[in-house]
Amino acid sequence: MRSLPITEAPHPRGSDLERLPAGRLLARLHEGDREAVRAVGRALPSLARLVEAAASALGAGGRLVYAGAGTSGRLGALDAAECPPTFGVSPRQVLALVAGGRRALTRAVEGAEDDRAAGAAAVRRARAGARDLVVGVSASGTTPFVLGALEEARRRGARTALLTSNPAARARTGLRVVLDTGPELVAGSTRMKAGTAAKMALGLVSTAAFVRLGTVRGGRMVALAPASEKLRRRAVRNVAVLAGVGEARARKLLEGCGWSVRDAVDRAARPKARPRPR
């Protein structure tokens, strides 16, 4: 029998889960969350290299493209969807290629992950090129859809990276980030530890990349898209704090700048023109 990825191996603490009362069962499963956090912490040096690659691609007018299947694909889609409202970027700048297409975002499309050609086709449809960074997200590191996407991205001159929970994964890629979460308490259920670690890592990468690109000042978002009343109130608070003005003045500045937080803060910082002597 060929060797299985570590994510498919049985966990020594998982053999009696079905016999535990709810409280102890939750505590046991939560141990996996802590293991996921530690795995991400150990991977911070390689995540930092991925952040620099993402910031470089986005700063040069390229895109951050996630490719994944199942849980990994949906996590990529979630992170991509959260970037425009948080960082004021176009939905075309961070995108996700998911095995099985849009239908796979809400229900499992079994077998889609095995289609290597579909991964390559998704990259071609996205017109990935030399300015882009394509990140394959795969707990096992062996998902054919992801490998096909990475292979096609390399062929088209894009920079590539793999985010995986399998230290033995050997996909050809420019960067490799291993979130060594080990066996799952429910063997093979990578929606647990591996998924938790991947969600954490993707959020860290996209957030840090956009911070590097100047979308945050003083710990506050200056590029958010205030498309709802909640976000407009946040924009007012951010301008008030960063510009050192009252909320009424902050709102007036925002209204005069088309609700751009960055422009409102910059305008508040400009010295007022002195009237010319007659």
Side-chain angles (χ1 to χ4, degrees):
M1 182 183 294
R2 70 186 173 87
S3 60
L4 293 172
I6 189 67
T7 51
E8 296 288 338
H11 193 292
R13 297 271 285 161
S15 61
D16 62 344
L17 294 180
E18 68 275 15
R19 297 194 295 272
L20 299 177
R24 287 180 60 196
L25 174 58
L26 286 174
R28 182 77 59 81
L29 293 174
H30 184 48
E31 290 176 9
D33 295 332
R34 292 195 291 271
E35 289 179 27
V37 172
R38 289 193 290 270
V40 173
R42 291 191 296 269
L44 288 179
S46 52
L47 283 169
R49 290 190 286 274
L50 185 54
V51 166
E52 295 294 359
S56 176
L58 292 163
R63 299 169 296 172
L64 174 58
V65 182
Y66 299 130
T71 297
S72 296
R74 286 186 281 275
L75 290 173
L78 173 62
D79 195 71
E82 291 177 342
C83 288
T86 306
F87 303 114
V89 299
S90 164
R92 292 185 292 274
Q93 282 187 273
V94 184
L95 63 151
L97 310 178
V98 182
R102 290 189 177 185
R103 188 160 64 99
L105 296 177
T106 56
R107 60 188 300 177
V109 180
E110 301 299 343
E113 68 181 56
D114 296 327
D115 195 337
R116 191 176 186 123
V123 168
R124 286 195 296 273
R125 283 195 300 274
R127 297 183 180 180
R131 292 191 298 178
D132 299 325
L133 171 66
V134 178
V135 181
V137 186
S138 168
S140 69
T142 61
T143 307
F145 177 90
V146 174
L147 297 181
L150 290 173
E151 184 177 75
E152 180 65 16
R154 283 196 313 273
R155 191 186 72 78
R156 298 173 67 90
R159 193 167 184 185
T160 59
L162 176 68
L163 185 74
T164 181
S165 281
N166 182 10
R170 290 292 178 264
R172 282 187 59 204
T173 187
L175 292 167
R176 190 175 72 122
V177 177
V178 177
L179 308 172
D180 191 359
T181 49
E184 298 281 355
L185 281 157
V186 178
S189 182
T190 53
R191 63 185 288 269
M192 301 297 288
K193 283 196 299 182
T196 297
K199 166 68 172 69
M200 215 179 309
L202 292 175
L204 288 171
V205 168
S206 59
T207 300
F210 282 113
V211 169
R212 299 279 285 164
L213 292 171
T215 64
V216 173
R217 293 185 195 172
R220 293 178 180 268
M221 292 177 276
V222 294
L224 79 159
S228 68
E229 184 54 35
K230 178 188 77 172
L231 292 176
R232 283 189 288 273
R233 289 196 299 269
R234 183 180 298 163
V236 169
R237 288 195 303 273
N238 288 358
V239 171
V241 170
L242 293 172
V245 299
E247 291 198 356
R249 173 63 176 156
R251 181 174 285 272
K252 189 171 182 180
L253 285 164
L254 282 162
E255 289 170 349
C257 295
W259 284 87
S260 166
V261 174
R262 182 187 283 112
D263 290 348
V265 171
D266 290 343
R267 181 173 292 186
R270 289 181 202 144
K272 292 182 180 179
R274 294 180 180 177
R276 291 181 181 178
R278 294 185 179 180

